Amino acid sequence: MSKFKKDGKRAMPGVNTSSLPDIVFMLLFFFMVATTSKENDPTVSVTPAVGSRTTDLTPYKQRSEVDFLYLGEPRNKNRAKDFKMGYALSLDNVVQATPDGLYTTNAVGQWKKDKFDQKPARMTSPIEAVITCVKADKTAPTGLIFDIRKELQEVNALTIAYAVRDNGI
Amino acid sequence: MAKRELQEINAGSMADIAFLLLIFFLVTTTMDKDTAFVRSIPKKVEVKQDPVEVEERNILAIKANNQNQLMVRGEIFSDPSQISEFILKFYKTNEINNDVANNFPLYSHTSMKQIDDNIRLVESEAEDLENKGAVKSMIEFKYTQLEEWIKKKRALELLGGKDLPEIHFQANIRIEVQQATSYEIFAQIQTEIQEAIYKLRDDKAQELWGESYGMLKRKFDAENGAQEKAKLDLLDILYPARIIEVTPKK
């Protein structure tokens, strides 16, 4: 009865996908610009503490100017008992006993010094000004943080940052 | 030989390649920002000195014990968010008028004449030391002193009025924790201090220039302008953040 009659089966035209690469590239560039590279995958688990009115460390050029160290419970639970108070320190993915632990002494100081010596020449700030960011688990005992602080003081690295997640209030 | 026609390159798999790259970047990067409280560690002292006597009114001790209980100036605080209010009181109580009766730090009011006198005095002292050939560190110390006075002069010029109110130079906030205090509590104390200092400076900035402190700082970060620097210096002199983190005993 209808005026327009479908004459038999008509094939659906395929969707033109020639602009798909463009779209995907756009997405790709967005993510390349909007994100920063993960420094490393810490071998200790860290649940950050929260705080507000923090300083944003992102402007420090892709994090390479900031040295990160992680303090938390080791992911390998069997090893936890080896460490002081059950917390381990992760320096560039090498798990260390906490500062005055059984295995190493001055691990943090040595690590910081090595890091500083290996900095490329374009970074001119003296060791006192190079930020060391401590990412500690919220349950970590503060005593350990002060142990780290003391070791940094020993090598004259005098700027420390206590990492927290900003709750934005 | 016959001319062979060039075949077009098949770009159908371009999307796949781009997707692969995209997924690679998604996996290896993070979106979240790194936020932290930046603090400086005092320089190591080689020579053992007797600790300087500090009046009780100048100390605001925030203590946290192994059971994560908080105590501010001998009072137990069950709600940590009240600490910032207490810090505000610590700074504000004697800001306008000094009252010896209360237990909060006193303010000094330095007039422009006093600042000028001090600049001249320190300058001549520095020159004197240089002529005498004193130790380099001594001369450097004098020059940093001089710089501070010049900074104060600039601050007062910007502030206007007849004198520069300054909290007692020994007034400090100290964080005293114990070995097993959790990092969460430590971060909370730092937050409260930061919150209070921000509030003080923000109120002042609003009052003086109708500008928020956060905006001022952002502008300075972006443009590095001299005007913003002077304003931030002034706020820093009016409400200095002197935080002492006391190493817990073993």
Side-chain angles (χ1 to χ4, degrees), chain A residues 35-36 38 51-53 55-57 63 135 138 140-143 145 149 153-154 158 160-164, chain B residues 18 22 26 28-30 33-37 39-42 44 179 181 183-184 191 194-195 198 245 248 250:
Chain A
T35 60
T36 48
K38 255 183 222 165
S52 56
R53 303 281 179 224
T55 310
D56 190 1
L57 296 182
R63 304 181 178 199
K135 287 196 167 183
K138 65 180 183 182
T142 326
I145 297 193
R149 196 170 168 272
Q153 187 184 42
E154 216 63 52
L158 299 178
I160 193 169
Y162 306 111
V164 288
Chain B
L22 175 66
L26 274 177
T28 56
T29 61
T30 77
K33 285 180 183 169
D34 275 310
T35 49
F37 299 118
R39 296 275 179 269
S40 50
I41 305 172
K44 199 185 171 199
Q179 283 286 326
T181 306
Y183 180 65
E184 198 176 13
T191 301
Q194 205 82 1
E195 202 69 68
Y198 187 92
E245 289 153 355
K250 301 251 157 171

Side-chain angles (χ1 to χ4, degrees), chain A residues 117-139:
Chain A
D117 292 340
Q118 286 159 16
K119 292 248 183 227
R122 70 189 152 81
M123 292 180 202
T124 48
S125 45
I127 192 162
E128 298 96 74
V130 179
I131 297 175
T132 315
C133 185
V134 182
K135 287 196 167 183
D137 190 78
K138 65 180 183 182
T139 58

Side-chain angles (χ1 to χ4, degrees), chain A:
Chain A
M1 241 38 70
S2 57
K3 249 183 182 172
F4 304 101
K5 228 196 255 166
K6 279 184 185 162
D7 33 275
K9 257 191 189 167
R10 225 198 279 167
M12 267 271 273
V15 181
N16 186 5
T17 58
S18 61
S19 56
L20 190 60
D22 302 347
I23 295 165
V24 178
F25 267 115
M26 225 161 59
L27 271 174
L28 174 66
F29 290 137
F30 168 74
F31 278 102
M32 281 173 72
V33 172
T35 60
T36 48
S37 69
K38 255 183 222 165
E39 193 69 352
N40 49 21
D41 226 335
T43 39
V44 295
S45 64
V46 172
T47 320
V50 289
S52 56
R53 303 281 179 224
T54 52
T55 310
D56 190 1
L57 296 182
T58 318
Y60 291 89
K61 286 162 207 152
Q62 290 297 308
R63 304 181 178 199
S64 53
E65 283 180 19
V66 182
D67 299 327
F68 287 91
L69 52 83
Y70 299 84
L71 177 69
E73 284 168 359
R75 286 198 197 278
N76 184 351
K77 290 279 178 283
N78 295 331
R79 288 195 65 194
K81 61 178 189 317
D82 296 345
F83 301 108
K84 189 187 174 190
M85 292 163 140
Y87 286 86
L89 203 56
S90 171
L91 309 171
D92 291 336
N93 265 354
V94 181
V95 176
Q96 298 280 354
T98 36
D100 56 352
L102 294 167
Y103 303 107
T104 46
T105 46
N106 282 328
V108 178
Q110 198 55 49
W111 167 79
K112 181 74 195 174
K113 248 194 193 153
D114 289 348
K115 275 249 175 195
F116 184 71
D117 292 340
Q118 286 159 16
K119 292 248 183 227
R122 70 189 152 81
M123 292 180 202
T124 48
S125 45
I127 192 162
E128 298 96 74
V130 179
I131 297 175
T132 315
C133 185
V134 182
K135 287 196 167 183
D137 190 78
K138 65 180 183 182
T139 58
T142 326
L144 298 178
I145 297 193
F146 276 90
D147 288 346
I148 296 167
R149 196 170 168 272
K150 182 144 183 289
E151 289 220 10
L152 291 175
Q153 187 184 42
E154 216 63 52
V155 295
N156 211 21
L158 299 178
T159 313
I160 193 169
Y162 306 111
V164 288
R165 191 164 50 79
D166 199 306
N167 57 9
I169 305 166

